[in-house]
Amino acid sequence: MDRMPALDEPLKKTLGDRTAKVMAEHLGLHTVGDLLHHYPRRYAERGELTRLSDLEVDEHATVVAQVEKSAMLGSGRGHRLEVVITDGSGRLTLVYFGKGAFKPQKELPPGRRALFAGKVTVFNHRRQLSHPDYKLLAADGDGTEADEWANQLLPIYPAVRQFASWRIQQAVDVVLDTMESTNWEGVIDPLPPALRANRGFATLPEALLKIHRPRTKADIAIARERLKWDEAFVLQVALARRRAAEGQLPAVPRVPKKDGILAAFDARLPFTLTDGQRKVSEEIFAELATAHPMHRLLQGEVGSGKTMVALRAMLAVVDAGGQAALLAPTEVLAQQHHRSITEMMGELAQGGMLGGAEDATKVVLLTGSMGTAARRQPLLDLATGEAGLVIGTHALIEDKVQFHDLGLVVVDEQHRFGVEQRDALRSKGKQPPHLLVMTATPIPRTVAMTVFGDLETSVLDQLPAGRSPIATHVVPAKDKPHFLARTWERIREEVGEGHQVYVVCPRIGDDEDDKAAAKKKASPEDEAEKRPPLAVLDIADELSNGALQGLRLEYLHGRMPPDAKDDVMRRFAAGEVDVLVATTVIEVGVNVPNATVMVIMDADRFGVSQLHQLRGRVGRGSAPGLCLLVSEMPEGTSARARLDAVAATLDGFELSRIDLEQRREGDVLGQAQSGTRSSLRMLSVIDDEEVIEAAREEATAIVAEDPELERYPDLRTALDALLDEEREQYLDKG
């Protein structure tokens, strides 16, 4: 049996069972490669004091600082040691209780410098570390202690309470010594030698040594450059191979008739398409006409007219004898799409019915809550081909749904769906159908090249004529309660002028909601506020009996029966409801041009992109829009800074960068986009645009020349390591 590549060696072989178990459980590190790719977060220089003023509450921090003062307080069993450390930028208190106070009392006198590690908490409005670990650093001129850090950069690793940064460094040292003793035997280098030589990169062993044991800052730069390239290049090769494979699949070309349903639809439009809509439509039509499946991402600002572009693509496929399916994430949105599409199409949506146009087709709706009897006819129409268009939710994916000739799948708000769901719908075509993925969450170009690197990208950045600007303001409800009172007055004024208003809350507030909240651990901000997020049912009741008494007020949330949800939305769209108090169920797709004000309660509980999405529900008509972000978070907090950022710009791409920076990047190959685990450890999809672009070019060239990577066995091995079975399936499903 061949020897396992050295980086795949289990850590327990080198570090022992106990250490390996802690690293696996608390840091997710299992192999030598995992540990060597667990890079230092930063480096502290001897004598350089880390900025304490930058520490965030609840962060697990490692700092280099000096003891300013130390005092034992209290007596008997209640005694505690308080140590104040400083770095010139700020101060931090360390607290030790009981017997644990005696050792640090002796070892941490004023003037002593050390590495301290612990979780930052707040007590009596002061930040502190409770029982932090520490490692003493040699004092200048102190001959009693080996000055092991003299002239060295100290690597500070992402750590946890159970395993401090310096313990990680010790483990890395053991592994590096072992690797060097075998001359890095069995370590494969994913970069082809010619590419490495042309770009002047360090070898992989050299880069790993320099990142963990740098002598100079130049060493760190050399290592970072090489290791960023590894991540970008291997990922781009995976995506390039995916694009190449898709390009080989057969598909039915779909070319619209010159005088068919698409031409008839365009002729009845009461407005002119924007230049952006025309340009993107031409890109889509060109791809639909080819014998290989289209794989295109359509992204555009809220209200940029993506649905119109998607509908024209769907009608082009119907013209060519095929069917098109629009997959929506919620029933509210599916119903809204069905209603707006049938209204836009008029008699063109009445195929087979009295009054239907000559080129008409049927447009059917299919959702999970529809009863067996209600579903029977739509299912029959799809199977026979009578229905050219279907709009639906996850119900479209069920086995019993059969298509006569599925030619195009449109996925709305793709981030709401798992790849398995999209794949299940695509598999219903006799040959692979064309795929159009839409998102109203603007995606920075570099993210599109990584997360959606196997899709061609179209961007709609032009708003249709007649759209109004949206003014956004933060309402500091706690600091300035009269601002909140003014908010409700402003709503009355808008309603008085014949307009309508959304009030959005983060929670429903029913029994089920409360049970779920009780099980869920409160966030630090929840703890600080000592109250749960505001709820739709509570706020609706409070407003209808108080500040907005007399107005026609309704509520809407995801757990209402589908008929009730649809009824509320219909009446709101018809102008029969003045104020709609809702959850984020209205976040995407809901189009009520007469709604001019969006009030978002506890706005700090929402992400930046979500706030931008919600704001896009107003200003869709001729009257200007107003968005009010209500929050109790004080100035100076990161939550408040997030709201200020949203209020400062309507540029969704700028906000998506801010959102991504705050959430971290998630696993760009996996389904967890929450930022908790990332396959990118060194590369930043926000900051490293040039690296990603260059890696994409190199990867595309190599895959074009050698799709199976037969001449690049080391690269193939690295690809297999990156793409474990789950991620391989993720890419396969697109």
Side-chain angles (χ1 to χ4, degrees):
M1 182 179 168
D2 291 339
R3 185 182 182 281
M4 187 186 298
L7 296 183
D8 283 351
E9 292 277 6
L11 279 173
K12 64 182 178 184
K13 283 192 177 181
T14 312
L15 301 177
D17 286 349
R18 184 179 298 176
T19 300
K21 187 179 179 190
V22 175
M23 295 189 104
E25 285 179 2
H26 299 289
L27 289 164
L29 306 177
H30 303 273
T31 66
V32 165
D34 290 343
L35 178 56
L36 291 183
H37 288 104
H38 186 73
Y39 306 127
R41 180 169 23 208
R42 56 187 172 82
Y43 300 86
E45 293 180 78
R46 179 165 167 68
E48 175 200 25
L49 298 176
T50 309
R51 290 181 65 81
L52 296 180
S53 56
D54 293 340
L55 293 181
E56 296 252 354
V57 174
D58 281 318
E59 177 186 1
H60 190 90
T62 302
V63 298
V64 182
Q66 189 165 316
V67 177
E68 185 178 76
K69 58 184 179 181
S70 173
M72 189 71 83
L73 306 174
S75 58
R77 289 185 176 179
H79 71 269
R80 71 185 186 281
L81 175 69
E82 285 195 3
V83 179
V84 177
I85 58 173
T86 182
D87 68 346
S89 75
R91 289 176 173 75
L92 189 64
T93 303
L94 317 178
V95 187
Y96 295 91
F97 299 97
K99 291 178 182 176
F102 298 126
K103 187 167 180 262
Q105 182 187 23
K106 245 185 350 189
E107 294 184 342
L108 298 174
R112 191 72 214 228
R113 188 168 59 245
L115 276 161
F116 299 95
K119 190 175 181 181
V120 184
T121 57
V122 173
F123 182 72
N124 280 345
H125 307 291
R126 284 189 312 175
R127 287 175 309 159
Q128 67 173 31
L129 299 181
S130 182
H131 280 273
D133 278 347
Y134 60 88
K135 186 173 184 70
L136 301 173
L137 298 182
D140 288 329
D142 182 356
T144 63
E145 188 175 4
D147 193 358
E148 61 185 285
W149 276 289
N151 303 316
Q152 277 192 20
L153 292 158
L154 306 179
I156 308 294
Y157 290 89
V160 290
R161 181 174 57 82
Q162 295 85 354
F163 215 82
S165 172
W166 50 87
R167 289 187 64 197
I168 296 172
Q169 184 188 1
Q170 288 165 351
V172 168
D173 281 340
V174 171
V175 166
L176 286 176
D177 289 344
T178 305
M179 300 299 282
E180 288 196 282
S181 71
T182 63
N183 202 25
W184 296 83
E185 182 192 346
V187 172
I188 61 155
D189 192 329
L191 291 194
L195 189 158
R196 194 173 71 237
N198 289 343
R199 294 191 173 265
F201 289 138
T203 64
L204 182 56
E206 186 186 350
L208 291 172
L209 279 168
K210 286 183 186 301
I211 202 74
H212 292 293
R213 292 176 175 170
R215 291 194 182 89
T216 64
K217 289 184 177 175
D219 281 352
I220 299 170
I222 289 167
R224 281 183 187 278
E225 183 184 37
R226 164 63 213 255
L227 295 168
K228 279 183 181 182
W229 250 87
D230 280 14
E231 293 179 2
F233 179 69
V234 176
L235 175 58
Q236 290 301 333
V237 168
L239 293 166
R241 293 186 77 215
R242 182 73 202 124
R243 289 194 301 275
E246 290 287 359
Q248 299 305 309
L249 290 175
V252 178
R254 308 286 180 173
V255 182
K257 291 186 285 191
K258 283 188 179 176
D259 55 353
I261 190 170
L262 175 60
F265 175 74
D266 284 348
R268 61 173 279 125
L269 282 179
F271 53 81
T272 306
L273 296 173
T274 66
D275 291 342
Q277 285 174 318
R278 288 190 179 282
K279 175 175 169 288
V280 171
S281 288
E282 290 309 316
E283 289 173 349
I284 290 171
F285 292 155
E287 282 192 274
L288 288 175
T290 65
H292 301 289
M294 172 179 76
H295 283 82
R296 185 164 286 275
L297 169 69
L298 173 58
Q299 56 169 317
E301 282 285 11
V302 176
S304 58
K306 292 182 300 302
T307 306
M308 175 59 66
V309 170
L311 176 55
R312 294 185 76 235
M314 293 164 80
L315 293 176
V317 169
V318 172
D319 256 349
Q323 294 168 292
L326 172 57
L327 182 61
T330 66
E331 292 208 355
V332 167
L333 187 51
Q335 289 162 344
Q336 169 87 22
H337 274 318
H338 182 254
R339 193 158 51 241
S340 62
I341 283 172
T342 50
E343 282 170 7
M344 281 192 284
M345 289 177 63
E347 69 270 16
L348 294 172
Q350 296 170 9
M353 289 182 261
L354 200 62
E358 186 184 340
D359 291 305
T361 188
K362 266 192 183 178
V363 181
V364 298
L365 175 70
L366 203 59
T367 65
S369 65
M370 290 167 64
T372 307
R375 293 160 67 108
R376 191 173 291 120
Q377 192 60 48
L379 287 171
L380 184 63
D381 290 340
L382 287 175
T384 60
E386 190 84 9
L389 302 183
V390 59
I391 293 103
T393 56
H394 303 78
L396 286 178
I397 295 164
E398 292 174 9
D399 290 341
K400 63 181 75 167
V401 180
Q402 300 295 323
F403 289 85
H404 177 68
D405 181 13
L406 180 60
L408 172 66
V409 172
V410 179
V411 181
D412 193 17
E413 289 308 312
Q414 62 76 32
H415 62 280
R416 304 289 191 88
F417 292 98
V419 284
E420 289 82 4
Q421 294 163 322
R422 299 206 299 269
D423 186 53
L425 181 52
R426 285 170 63 191
S427 69
K428 290 181 178 290
K430 291 169 185 170
Q431 284 194 326
H434 299 281
L435 174 69
L436 180 64
V437 169
M438 298 197 297
T439 178
T441 304
I443 303 164
R445 187 164 168 272
T446 45
V447 181
M449 280 195 294
T450 49
V451 181
F452 303 106
D454 58 338
L455 300 177
E456 298 299 326
T457 304
S458 296
V459 178
L460 276 177
D461 51 12
Q462 195 181 358
L463 292 182
R467 283 287 160 87
S468 303
I470 305 169
T472 308
H473 303 286
V474 178
V475 178
K478 204 165 193 173
D479 300 344
K480 299 178 179 175
H482 59 288
F483 276 34
L484 184 58
R486 174 69 188 120
T487 296
W488 309 128
E489 288 172 14
R490 187 79 177 78
I491 285 179
R492 282 190 171 277
E493 290 165 11
E494 283 293 315
V495 172
E497 290 175 19
H499 297 306
Q500 293 163 278
V501 177
Y502 295 102
V503 178
V504 175
C505 302
R507 205 164 60 96
I508 297 172
D510 59 7
D511 291 343
E512 231 176 293
D513 202 27
D514 293 336
K515 280 179 207 163
K519 284 182 189 172
K520 190 177 172 187
K521 194 179 174 188
S523 72
E525 286 176 353
D526 291 350
E527 289 287 357
E529 292 183 9
K530 296 292 188 247
R531 70 159 176 79
L534 294 172
V536 165
L537 299 179
D538 298 338
I539 293 295
D541 189 51
E542 195 178 303
L543 292 176
S544 59
N545 291 308
L548 301 183
Q549 192 169 9
L551 300 186
R552 296 173 300 174
L553 186 147
E554 295 278 2
Y555 62 80
L556 179 72
H557 61 75
R559 279 205 284 272
M560 290 166 61
D563 289 350
K565 282 190 286 194
D566 196 36
D567 179 58
V568 170
M569 274 313 305
R570 275 180 188 282
R571 288 190 290 116
F572 187 65
E576 296 166 16
V577 174
D578 300 320
V579 180
L580 183 63
V581 183
T583 58
T584 54
V585 73
I586 54 99
E587 179 185 348
V588 289
V590 174
N591 185 28
V592 181
N594 192 45
T596 54
V597 180
M598 165 73 65
V599 180
I600 304 176
M601 307 301 292
D602 276 346
D604 49 273
R605 312 289 179 120
F606 299 93
V608 168
S609 292
Q610 199 171 29
L611 292 171
H612 183 58
Q613 288 279 308
L614 287 165
R615 169 170 62 186
R617 296 304 105 211
V618 296
R620 301 175 76 86
S622 55
L626 174 66
C627 178
L628 300 173
L629 307 174
V630 180
S631 173
E632 294 187 357
M633 298 306 288
E635 281 193 70
T637 58
S638 58
R640 182 65 175 275
R642 221 169 45 232
L643 301 184
D644 291 337
V646 175
T649 181
L650 290 170
D651 184 340
F653 286 92
E654 175 58 28
L655 290 173
S656 70
R657 288 180 75 91
I658 294 167
D659 194 26
L660 202 64
E661 282 164 5
Q662 291 187 340
R663 287 190 296 115
R664 306 208 319 276
E665 286 152 4
D667 188 335
V668 299
L669 282 186
Q671 295 177 53
Q673 295 291 326
S674 63
T676 52
R677 174 177 176 268
S678 178
S679 58
L680 301 185
R681 295 173 176 86
M682 185 66 73
L683 188 76
S684 164
V685 293
I686 285 289
D687 301 325
D688 295 319
E689 182 167 349
E690 287 180 13
V691 174
I692 293 168
E693 280 204 57
R696 183 181 171 100
E697 284 175 22
E698 295 274 14
T700 304
I702 282 176
V703 170
E705 169 204 344
D706 182 4
E708 295 304 315
L709 305 178
E710 289 172 0
R711 294 196 293 282
Y712 303 97
D714 286 354
L715 174 56
R716 177 74 235 198
T717 304
L719 204 61
D720 291 340
L722 175 76
L723 300 177
D724 56 29
E725 190 179 344
E726 179 187 341
R727 291 179 182 176
E728 185 80 76
Q729 287 174 358
Y730 181 89
L731 278 184
D732 276 347
K733 289 170 181 173

